[in-house]
Amino acid sequence: MDKEEQEFLKNYSIEDFERPSIATDIAVFSIMDGDVDNNRRLPEKQLKLLLIKRASYPCKDAWALPGGFCRKNETVQETAARELYEETNVKDAYLSLAGIFSDAGRDPRGWIVSNAFMALIDGNRCRLRAGTDAWEARWFNVLLNRIEEKRKYDGDGAKLQATYGLALTSGDIRLTAKLKEETVYKNNHEKTACKLLSSDGLAFDHAGIIINLICRLRDRAEHDFRIIFDLMPEYFTLTELQKAFEIVMDKKLLAANFRRKLADYVLETDKAVEGNAHRPAKLFKRNVEAFYRG
Amino acid sequence: MDKEEQEFLKNYSIEDFERPSIATDIAVFSIMDGDVDNNRRLPEKQLKLLLIKRASYPCKDAWALPGGFCRKNETVQETAARELYEETNVKDAYLSLAGIFSDAGRDPRGWIVSNAFMALIDGNRCRLRAGTDAWEARWFNVLLNRIEEKRKYDGDGAKLQATYGLALTSGDIRLTAKLKEETVYKNNHEKTACKLLSSDGLAFDHAGIIINLICRLRDRAEHDFRIIFDLMPEYFTLTELQKAFEIVMDKKLLAANFRRKLADYVLETDKAVEGNAHRPAKLFKRNVEAFYRG
DNA sequence: TTAATAGTGTCTCTTAGACAGTATTGC
DNA sequence: GCAATACTGTCTAAGAGACACTATTAA
């Protein structure tokens, strides 16, 4: 660094420009067992999302994604990892940036840019921070549907509208939201805009972030199915793995084909699940070599 | 909003916490013709990246990604679109967030978080902002290689190292960089870290951002080949389209198979390229309906 | 004619999907 | 035996890859 540059930096004041606060919000997904009604049947698996009840203003009493402000000398990835650990006690997890939300009016406190992360964890391994009077964390059951879809083509243009309905439930709490996504293709170029039509019980613009991140989760799983393993415990049955795939991808699979496709990615162990009134399932674990052969 | 909340917001001062500046940097990619040596042969196609020579400190005279600071009341996506327009005069283009770079020491002016965007444009449609004494923009030819690779597995763990070599050339300017990527798999969880080994002629941490974004471009093209069309003009030959695929994907394709695969995505026009000493190629355009059938 | 690119037909091999069938447990 | 889940074998259709072949232009 030459003298002139040192001089420049001495006189440079970054405070001259207005700056935002920057925060991370994390959509922590896991897969957990639903209620068991019949001891012969396997428990139903459900996609879960971790939410926290806000104890203070703004959006007091609404449910929000876990997250917090970035500190100086910390990357946003580090912020996300720290927040994830504070909330769930999980240190090693899939944790990846999935979007930025920076609309001017998104937070009444001022200019706050949110870096939205997606985390995939094994729900059983996680120990939620204990709730207090002023603080509560809960797993919500996730249900996202495409409730409407319109397609229009004309010559070199196209316009697609899709409306998504989100329902998050935990016990008798039910949070809902609707989002309209509009994709316009014009001048050989595509532009997508999202608009939150309604949001009930969710803080800030988090309903929009959540819908967005669920879609991203499905996209990513479609692109690289290996991320599904990040939702699994160390040992799992192939049926459990298949159900995880089905829940995330939102479609049914045939067991025979599924097993053939995943055969290389798992290793059989000598353990098995016992005590059920049907043939016991072998437990498998990841075959690390297969993950990194490519 | 109730009275208590209004009270809270009145007393809330966002200035109490230290905040970063936030900027966007854009990797603008296009595909352009190389030199023509033989009028029988078709011009070679090359992947290009737009860089700007910094006229002021810090990193004076080094080459940097175009970009700038986010303004209040502007989303980061809007900042990126504005910057792209200012530099290239292109309004409609593929423009998408591809990473965040927030290392504490990345900019000597202070805490500056960079939102890195990837833009794909048709280089012919673009009009670069005119250069001045203090200002210059240039298209650089892009060459990224994996120059080393190590794989190690042991039981339930794995460690992969890859070293990338980047060379950007424009006339007799040659910028180079090396980056080491290390992926560690441990406790059923993967973690990737990148370290810039060297960087010559490039400003700030932009060499790392560039290498990262080239890899992301290849990933995305692999995931959804339709983004390649964003690099093409309105009318193109199938050979041009195939070359664009080959350059981005970094592999050769067989014409017969390529044409079969893309047949649905293009429409033949009655135009053709003439004047070459070989069979004239028909010009095609996008078949918009096929893009949105899914 | 030749050098070059444009474009087609067809074979093979791999894989995704469907489905029928067998195996094993507790009750 | 029955209900439930675990797991396997095989047929078919679709797609990826390879390659040989024909077509058309300016020089």
Side-chain angles (χ1 to χ4, degrees):
Chain A
M1 198 184 289
D2 63 22
K3 214 166 170 184
E4 207 180 335
E5 178 157 11
Q6 286 177 353
E7 190 64 19
F8 167 86
L9 288 171
K10 217 178 71 189
N11 294 322
Y12 184 88
S13 173
I14 205 166
E15 276 79 27
D16 293 351
F17 307 101
E18 199 164 356
R19 286 158 299 147
S21 293
I22 110 166
T24 64
D25 290 304
I26 314 175
V28 185
F29 292 104
S30 75
I31 285 178
M32 289 177 164
D33 291 351
D35 297 330
V36 193
D37 45 346
N38 176 336
N39 87 318
R40 273 192 127 145
R41 276 212 152 83
L42 287 175
E44 192 198 354
K45 299 275 181 185
Q46 298 174 328
L47 181 64
K48 300 281 186 180
L49 176 69
L50 184 65
L51 292 179
I52 284 167
K53 191 170 183 174
R54 287 188 58 82
S56 51
Y57 290 110
C59 298
K60 187 162 179 286
D61 296 325
W63 292 85
L65 293 168
F69 289 100
C70 298
R71 300 177 184 161
K72 209 176 168 176
N73 296 317
E74 183 181 63
T75 64
V76 296
Q77 286 80 4
E78 284 162 358
T79 305
R82 173 172 57 77
E83 297 285 348
L84 179 65
Y85 180 69
E86 285 172 12
E87 304 298 348
T88 64
N89 212 50
V90 167
K91 264 210 161 108
D92 295 325
Y94 177 92
L95 183 62
S96 161
L97 182 70
I100 296 196
F101 297 83
S102 55
D103 269 78
R106 63 175 294 280
D107 192 311
R109 288 169 293 185
W111 188 12
I112 300 180
V113 172
S114 166
N115 295 92
F117 280 75
M118 179 194 305
L120 304 181
I121 70 173
D122 162 20
N124 306 316
R125 200 160 66 95
C126 136
R127 259 199 349 263
L128 291 189
R129 185 151 65 109
T132 64
D133 282 359
W135 198 91
E136 192 186 351
R138 283 222 204 181
W139 288 107
F140 283 75
N141 192 30
V142 175
L143 224 101
L144 180 67
N145 301 92
R146 221 169 231 248
I147 51 184
E148 208 191 313
E149 201 177 289
K150 267 190 257 176
R151 290 158 182 267
K152 213 176 90 186
Y153 308 104
D154 63 280
D156 294 340
K159 190 167 171 180
L160 309 172
Q161 290 185 333
T163 308
Y164 291 91
L166 174 71
L168 301 168
T169 50
S170 176
D172 46 5
I173 305 171
R174 185 182 161 86
L175 315 170
T176 58
K178 267 190 202 171
L179 180 137
K180 191 163 113 180
E181 185 193 69
E182 185 169 285
T183 302
V184 175
Y185 192 92
K186 216 173 66 177
N187 302 327
N188 300 314
H189 163 69
E190 170 187 311
K191 195 168 222 156
T192 300
C194 291
K195 198 185 161 196
L196 206 51
L197 300 178
S198 67
S199 168
D200 186 21
L202 285 157
F204 307 110
D205 57 349
H206 286 197
I209 299 180
I210 291 167
I211 294 175
N212 223 287
L213 265 60
I214 297 169
C215 295
R216 296 298 233 93
L217 170 59
R218 290 186 182 155
D219 276 0
R220 290 189 186 182
E222 195 104 9
H223 171 211
D224 181 0
F225 67 76
R226 295 174 301 182
I227 67 165
I228 303 288
F229 283 89
D230 289 303
L231 291 162
M232 305 302 292
E234 185 165 10
Y235 297 98
F236 47 84
T237 69
L238 291 181
T239 302
E240 282 169 346
L241 185 62
Q242 181 180 341
K243 291 214 165 132
F245 270 74
E246 291 179 338
I247 289 167
V248 173
M249 310 276 216
D250 201 25
K251 66 178 171 195
K252 287 281 163 201
L253 303 170
L254 289 173
N257 303 336
F258 177 79
R259 280 153 193 263
R260 189 176 43 196
K261 182 171 167 175
L262 273 115
D264 276 358
Y265 292 89
V266 294
L267 292 172
E268 198 177 314
T269 68
D270 49 8
K271 300 183 186 67
V273 177
E274 284 166 43
N276 290 51
H278 51 74
R279 177 168 171 180
K282 283 182 197 130
L283 283 168
F284 290 77
K285 60 176 186 173
R286 296 156 182 78
N287 178 9
V288 178
E289 275 198 59
F291 279 68
Y292 297 105
R293 227 197 294 279
Chain B
M1 197 183 290
D2 63 22
K3 213 165 169 183
E4 208 180 334
E5 178 157 12
Q6 287 179 353
E7 190 64 18
F8 167 87
L9 288 171
K10 217 178 72 189
N11 295 321
Y12 183 88
S13 173
I14 205 165
E15 276 78 27
D16 293 350
F17 307 100
E18 198 163 359
R19 285 157 300 146
S21 293
I22 109 168
T24 64
D25 291 304
I26 314 175
V28 185
F29 292 105
S30 74
I31 286 178
M32 289 177 165
D33 291 351
D35 297 331
V36 194
D37 45 347
N38 176 336
N39 86 318
R40 272 191 129 148
R41 278 212 150 85
L42 287 175
E44 191 198 353
K45 299 276 180 184
Q46 298 174 328
L47 182 64
K48 300 282 187 179
L49 177 68
L50 183 64
L51 293 178
I52 284 167
K53 191 170 182 174
R54 288 188 56 83
S56 51
Y57 291 109
C59 298
K60 188 163 180 289
D61 296 325
W63 292 85
L65 292 169
F69 289 101
C70 298
R71 300 177 186 162
K72 208 176 169 176
N73 297 317
E74 183 182 63
T75 64
V76 297
Q77 287 80 5
E78 284 163 357
T79 306
R82 173 172 57 77
E83 298 284 348
L84 178 65
Y85 180 69
E86 285 172 12
E87 304 298 349
T88 64
N89 213 51
V90 167
K91 264 211 162 107
D92 295 325
Y94 177 93
L95 183 61
S96 161
L97 182 70
I100 296 197
F101 297 83
S102 55
D103 269 78
R106 63 175 295 279
D107 193 310
R109 288 168 293 185
W111 187 14
I112 300 180
V113 172
S114 167
N115 295 91
F117 279 76
M118 178 193 308
L120 304 181
I121 69 173
D122 162 20
N124 306 317
R125 200 161 65 95
C126 136
R127 257 197 354 260
L128 290 189
R129 186 151 64 109
T132 64
D133 284 358
W135 197 91
E136 193 186 351
R138 282 223 204 181
W139 287 107
F140 283 75
N141 191 30
V142 175
L143 223 101
L144 179 68
N145 300 94
R146 219 168 233 247
I147 51 184
E148 206 191 315
E149 200 176 290
K150 266 191 256 178
R151 288 156 183 268
K152 214 176 90 186
Y153 307 104
D154 63 281
D156 294 339
K159 190 167 170 180
L160 309 171
Q161 291 185 332
T163 308
Y164 291 92
L166 173 72
L168 301 168
T169 51
S170 176
D172 46 5
I173 306 172
R174 185 182 163 83
L175 315 170
T176 59
K178 268 190 202 171
L179 180 136
K180 191 163 114 180
E181 185 193 69
E182 185 170 285
T183 302
V184 176
Y185 192 92
K186 216 173 66 179
N187 302 328
N188 300 313
H189 164 69
E190 169 186 312
K191 196 167 222 158
T192 299
C194 291
K195 197 185 161 196
L196 205 52
L197 299 177
S198 68
S199 168
D200 187 22
L202 284 156
F204 307 110
D205 57 351
H206 286 196
I209 299 179
I210 292 167
I211 293 175
N212 224 286
L213 265 61
I214 297 168
C215 294
R216 296 301 233 91
L217 170 58
R218 288 185 183 156
D219 276 1
R220 290 189 185 183
E222 195 104 9
H223 171 208
D224 181 0
F225 66 76
R226 295 173 302 181
I227 67 166
I228 303 289
F229 283 89
D230 289 304
L231 292 162
M232 306 302 292
E234 185 166 9
Y235 298 98
F236 47 83
T237 69
L238 291 180
T239 303
E240 282 168 346
L241 186 62
Q242 180 179 341
K243 291 211 166 136
F245 270 75
E246 291 179 339
I247 288 167
V248 173
M249 310 276 216
D250 202 25
K251 65 179 170 193
K252 287 281 163 200
L253 302 170
L254 289 173
N257 303 336
F258 177 79
R259 280 153 194 262
R260 189 176 42 193
K261 182 171 167 175
L262 274 115
D264 275 359
Y265 292 90
V266 294
L267 291 172
E268 199 177 313
T269 68
D270 51 7
K271 300 184 185 66
V273 178
E274 284 168 45
N276 291 50
H278 51 74
R279 177 169 172 179
K282 284 181 195 127
L283 283 167
F284 290 77
K285 61 176 184 172
R286 296 156 182 79
N287 178 10
V288 177
E289 276 198 59
F291 279 68
Y292 297 105
R293 227 196 294 278

